[in-house]
Amino acid sequence: MTELRETIGQAVAMLRQNAGMTAEDLAEKMRDRGFRWNTVTVSKIENGERQLKLEESAAMMQCVGMGAEDLPKLFGTGLDFKISRQANIVEWSHNDLNRHIAHFRHLRDELAEIVAEAEGSNNVSEEKLQHAKEVLGRSSNEEIVKQVKDGLGGWFVKW
């Protein structure tokens, strides 16, 4: 794996995600243009494990809504590329974090409902009920905020 392959792969990932496309979306559009791409192909290119062939690059740029004149963006090594790439990575991570938080809250709420239902029932062991209550206690909003503060150290900004 070369540094150039990694750079191009990161650029492909950034362009694809900026276009709001999944790996499957890009693979499908490339198949429509006659290339034998699938999600593994996209993943390998984005991870620098497979080179992006010249004839593929122009088609890929069209798939993400750009033209051949934008091809130099694949070779971005300047500060513009670096800042754009890093800002996108932070933004994607933030979006992932928000999705995980929403999913976590949903799961925690479901567990709270099940615990409430189980509290008056003889159909659940006291040990399992106690464990579920402990999990809920460790996953309170206050505990999660404390974990985030600890994880971010001095970078924490009050919400």
Side-chain angles (χ1 to χ4, degrees):
M1 178 168 31
T2 66
E3 184 177 332
L4 180 58
R5 244 190 232 174
E6 287 179 17
T7 298
I8 290 172
Q10 290 170 351
V12 168
M14 182 179 68
L15 293 170
R16 174 182 62 76
Q17 292 173 345
N18 282 349
M21 297 172 67
T22 65
E24 178 55 39
D25 294 336
L26 179 56
E28 183 179 336
K29 285 184 176 246
M30 288 297 287
R31 285 192 302 271
D32 291 345
R33 287 170 170 75
F35 296 94
R36 295 176 51 171
W37 277 32
N38 56 39
T39 55
V40 173
T41 309
V42 175
S43 177
K44 285 186 175 185
I45 290 170
E46 290 181 355
N47 291 318
E49 298 168 14
R50 177 194 181 279
Q51 71 180 32
L52 178 66
K53 298 173 186 163
L54 184 58
E55 60 272 12
E56 295 172 325
S57 60
M60 189 278 309
M61 294 298 282
Q62 290 175 342
C63 291
V64 297
M66 303 183 94
E69 69 277 3
D70 296 308
L71 277 172
K73 292 180 180 177
L74 291 177
F75 304 96
T77 55
L79 195 52
D80 276 349
F81 175 78
K82 288 178 183 178
I83 197 167
S84 178
R85 179 184 65 201
Q86 198 62 30
N88 284 326
I89 290 169
V90 170
E91 184 176 30
W92 300 326
S93 295
H94 182 256
N95 291 339
D96 283 345
L97 178 61
N98 285 335
R99 280 192 295 277
H100 287 293
I101 289 170
H103 183 67
F104 169 79
R105 292 169 92 180
H106 173 75
L107 294 173
R108 183 186 63 189
D109 291 347
E110 280 185 349
L111 179 58
E113 288 175 16
I114 295 168
V115 165
E117 179 184 336
E119 283 186 309
S121 172
N122 293 330
N123 295 333
V124 64
S125 74
E126 192 58 38
E127 180 182 321
K128 301 253 189 233
L129 183 58
Q130 186 58 37
H131 173 70
K133 287 179 178 181
E134 289 170 8
V135 169
L136 284 173
R138 289 192 307 267
S139 62
S140 69
N141 287 343
E142 294 77 19
E143 285 298 314
I144 299 305
V145 168
K146 181 183 178 307
Q147 290 174 11
V148 170
K149 281 183 180 179
D150 292 346
L152 293 175
W155 289 100
F156 181 78
V157 176
K158 192 169 184 171
W159 299 350

